[in-house]
Amino acid sequence: MQDDLFGGPPPPPPPPEKAPARRTGVHPAAWGDDLRELAARLPPTLRLGTSSWSYPGWQGLVWEGEHSEQTLAKKGLPVYAQHPLLRTVSIDRSFYRPLTASDYARYAAQVPGDFRFVVKAPSLVTDALVRSEDGRGREPNPAFLNPLLAAQEFVAPALEGLGALTGALVFQLSPLPWTMLDRMPEVLERLRTMLQAQPPLNQPDAVLAVEVRDPEWLAPEHLSHFADVLKSTGATYCLGMHARMPPLADQLPLLRMLWPGPLVCRWNLNPVHGPHGYEDAEKLYAPYDRIHHPAPEEHALLARTLAGVCGRGQNAFVTISNHAEGCAPLTIRTLAEHVAQLSNP
């Protein structure tokens, strides 16, 4: 009678909904069609990229979700290489210790065939001083610009491991002691000997490049000598956009003296921080998710240079640090927009 009065027993509760499966691993951000269309408007010989790739602050720009720096260092490169604008990257860890051919091969296996690497030579051969842990020079480095070590510890393993994915192999020469700056002709000939001794670059896009951190290399009394050293060895100059160096406009004359040839550029440190301002830049810019110090004049001049070089069929490799403006992927997008406008009037 109670069933008739109050109705039947209540229906059983519905089964709980299954929670969606949690995605594991690193996945690409949701790149829009506008980004792909921008990439399609760039010259095919232009490769833009960043210095390394293990930055959690690039969430939403390069990858989705939150990831630790360690996770991105191990698993982020394949996702990075899928980004429409990122067709190169600078391997910077090779500066601190030489890498093996197997190390380079592991990197090469993670990217598509049209990707190219920019690699820094180990400081073992590019720093004139042996330095303490705090970076202070302690004594002369006997291995500085050693031809055999440069080949064995850098050029040969990079070519073997990266193969056709080899782009620019960069000898970034650390600041010289004043005793060497006073003897620049001797240093230049030492550089010539080292470059001449390197194995043949038997890869289609490979190039040796020299980046410097002392304005004296570009002084009028040394400029022709420097250009001759590079031209006679088949190497090129790496434009170093760094607070220690003159503005980009003052570095272009050397590039013109080497024409025709590829362009290599590393945009490293905004001059607002001074020549030793990496720590200041890190404190201000981290987590590297937005632009802090835009540099419109540098964008305009670099874009004109890239459009001219690539418009004549030459390769260009440009890697950009977070320390340039605050967020390397955003800097690259702005630069790409400038180049696209000039390449497609």
Side-chain angles (χ1 to χ4, degrees):
M1 190 169 70
Q2 286 181 344
D3 286 346
D4 292 338
L5 182 61
F6 297 105
E17 294 185 6
K18 289 184 178 180
R22 186 174 180 270
R23 296 222 298 172
T24 59
V26 183
H27 299 276
W31 303 315
D33 290 339
D34 57 337
L35 201 64
R36 296 182 176 85
E37 292 168 0
L38 174 59
R41 294 168 57 201
L42 296 176
T45 57
L46 172 60
R47 287 183 169 85
L48 303 173
T50 68
S51 295
S52 189
W53 59 86
S54 55
Y55 298 103
W58 293 356
Q59 178 183 349
L61 297 173
V62 179
W63 24 70
E64 67 173 21
E66 297 182 6
H67 304 283
S68 68
E69 184 175 342
Q70 292 75 18
T71 296
L72 294 173
K74 293 178 180 179
K75 301 179 180 180
L77 181 57
V79 173
Y80 170 102
Q82 296 176 47
H83 190 286
L85 296 180
L86 303 179
R87 301 179 62 219
T88 188
V89 74
S90 178
I91 299 178
D92 291 347
R93 63 184 285 248
S94 53
F95 179 77
Y96 303 100
R97 69 170 183 85
L99 302 184
T100 66
S102 297
D103 292 328
Y104 290 117
R106 281 193 289 271
Y107 287 133
Q110 300 178 56
V111 300
D114 66 343
F115 195 90
R116 298 292 182 269
F117 287 92
V118 173
V119 190
K120 287 182 64 174
S123 62
L124 170 71
V125 295
T126 61
D127 198 332
L129 299 174
V130 176
R131 299 186 182 274
S132 57
E133 291 185 0
D134 62 0
R136 296 179 182 273
R138 295 185 310 188
E139 57 191 19
N141 175 15
F144 179 55
L145 297 182
N146 182 289
L148 182 60
L149 285 176
Q152 290 181 343
E153 302 293 338
F154 178 48
V155 176
L159 290 171
E160 179 184 347
L162 297 177
L165 276 63
T166 307
L169 303 181
V170 180
F171 291 90
Q172 182 240 293
L173 305 184
S174 300
L176 299 177
W178 65 267
T179 52
M180 284 190 172
L181 292 175
D182 284 346
R183 304 196 312 271
M184 281 300 298
E186 295 177 26
V187 178
L188 283 162
E189 287 308 309
R190 194 169 170 180
L191 176 64
R192 189 198 303 269
T193 300
M194 188 271 291
L195 293 172
Q196 286 175 332
Q198 298 316 298
L201 303 183
N202 53 357
Q203 303 301 340
D205 299 317
V207 61
L208 297 182
V210 177
E211 180 183 358
V212 297
R213 290 287 170 84
D214 294 298
E216 286 81 357
W217 290 86
L218 305 180
E221 62 268 28
H222 304 310
L223 193 61
S224 295
H225 193 173
F226 193 12
D228 179 68
V229 167
L230 296 173
K231 205 159 192 176
S232 68
T233 57
T236 193
Y237 175 65
C238 176
L239 294 167
M241 298 174 67
H242 188 282
R244 286 190 63 96
M245 292 299 294
L248 178 61
D250 295 338
Q251 299 185 51
L252 289 179
L254 177 55
L255 202 64
R256 296 188 187 101
M257 297 171 75
L258 301 174
W259 182 259
L263 179 149
V264 181
C265 176
R266 298 200 324 124
W267 191 347
N268 295 295
L269 178 63
N270 197 302
V272 300
H273 303 293
H276 306 287
Y278 275 109
E279 290 186 3
D280 293 338
E282 289 176 2
K283 291 176 183 177
L284 178 61
Y285 293 164
Y288 310 120
D289 57 354
R290 61 189 179 93
I291 298 296
H292 291 259
H293 287 118
E297 294 181 359
E298 301 285 24
H299 277 286
L301 180 54
L302 182 56
R304 290 200 302 271
T305 306
L306 293 171
V309 169
C310 296
R312 290 163 178 78
Q314 296 289 337
N315 285 334
F317 304 94
V318 181
T319 61
I320 297 175
S321 167
N322 285 319
H323 301 137
E325 294 184 305
C327 177
L330 293 179
T331 298
I332 287 172
R333 176 154 191 164
T334 300
L335 180 61
E337 290 168 348
H338 280 75
V339 175
Q341 291 173 2
L342 296 170
S343 302
N344 299 273

